[in-house]
Amino acid sequence: MLEIGSGTGLNLAYYPDRVQKITTIDVNPGMNALAQKRVQAAAIAVNHQVLSGEHLPMPDNSFDSVVSTWTLCSIANIDQALNEIHRVLKPGGKFFFVEHGLSDNPKLQVWQNRLTPVQKVLADGCHLNRNIRQLVEKQFDIVEIEQFYADSLPKIIGYFYKGVATKGLA
């Protein structure tokens, strides 16, 4: 299993028991320092690396699954990162993701587009206006996705995509 944008390692405590080993990557060296305590305390073996999701050194067809939570919004070359995720997945492998992005409401989209340049500066490259469904569907043939607003967040930042994309067998 591979986790892209693992940040402080918050997800490590939530992987099911059947996950015995995971490779986690994050491009931010500061996050690496914060993650070390969680990596050491994890119930599973963790290979944590400071890497960009846009340039993965792993061979093709290396992982059964890839996880990304609130990461695709801030990767500079999102198409390249999704290509890399697809490349390192084994045939039939699954890409699990939860992301925020472009609302389906045209009035909110206007504001998301206006505020994204500011958001990118304030929030480490985060884009409010990425259409995650469209981006994932460009790379994967099989995509199951839910889109919804988070009740506790302002709608301009609280539009979410939760899904599973499967790499074809061919």
Side-chain angles (χ1 to χ4, degrees), residues 2-147:
L2 172 66
E3 183 177 345
I4 303 283
S6 58
T8 64
L10 189 62
N11 288 344
L12 291 173
Y14 299 101
Y15 283 105
D17 291 339
R18 69 179 179 274
V19 176
Q20 300 293 310
K21 179 181 168 187
I22 187 168
T23 298
T24 60
I25 68 163
D26 199 287
V27 71
N28 186 331
M31 289 295 172
N32 181 47
L34 294 171
Q36 286 309 307
K37 195 178 282 188
R38 287 188 175 122
V39 166
Q40 292 169 358
I44 57 179
V46 181
N47 174 12
H48 184 67
Q49 300 178 40
V50 178
L51 291 173
S52 165
E54 298 159 317
H55 305 286
L56 300 174
M58 297 83 172
D60 296 356
N61 307 315
S62 299
F63 296 97
D64 294 318
S65 55
V66 176
V67 173
S68 173
T69 56
W70 296 288
T71 301
L72 298 180
C73 67
S74 60
I75 294 175
N77 189 338
I78 186 64
D79 290 323
Q80 178 64 30
L82 287 166
N83 182 59
E84 284 290 277
I85 290 167
H86 188 270
R87 181 186 65 76
V88 301
L89 273 171
K90 293 178 181 176
K94 298 192 180 295
F95 172 45
F96 300 92
F97 58 93
V98 177
E99 301 291 341
H100 72 95
L102 188 67
S103 169
D104 62 353
N105 180 324
K107 290 180 182 178
L108 283 173
Q109 289 175 0
V110 168
W111 284 102
Q112 287 178 307
N113 289 326
R114 285 180 184 162
L115 294 174
T116 287
V118 174
Q119 175 74 0
K120 285 169 47 180
V121 171
L122 296 176
D124 201 23
C126 175
H127 294 71
L128 297 171
N129 61 349
R130 285 200 169 152
N131 186 328
I132 301 300
R133 173 187 288 276
Q134 185 179 59
L135 291 164
V136 172
E137 286 178 344
K138 276 196 308 190
Q139 188 62 54
F140 290 87
D141 293 326
I142 305 166
V143 180
E144 300 170 28
I145 195 166
E146 290 178 54
Q147 294 176 223

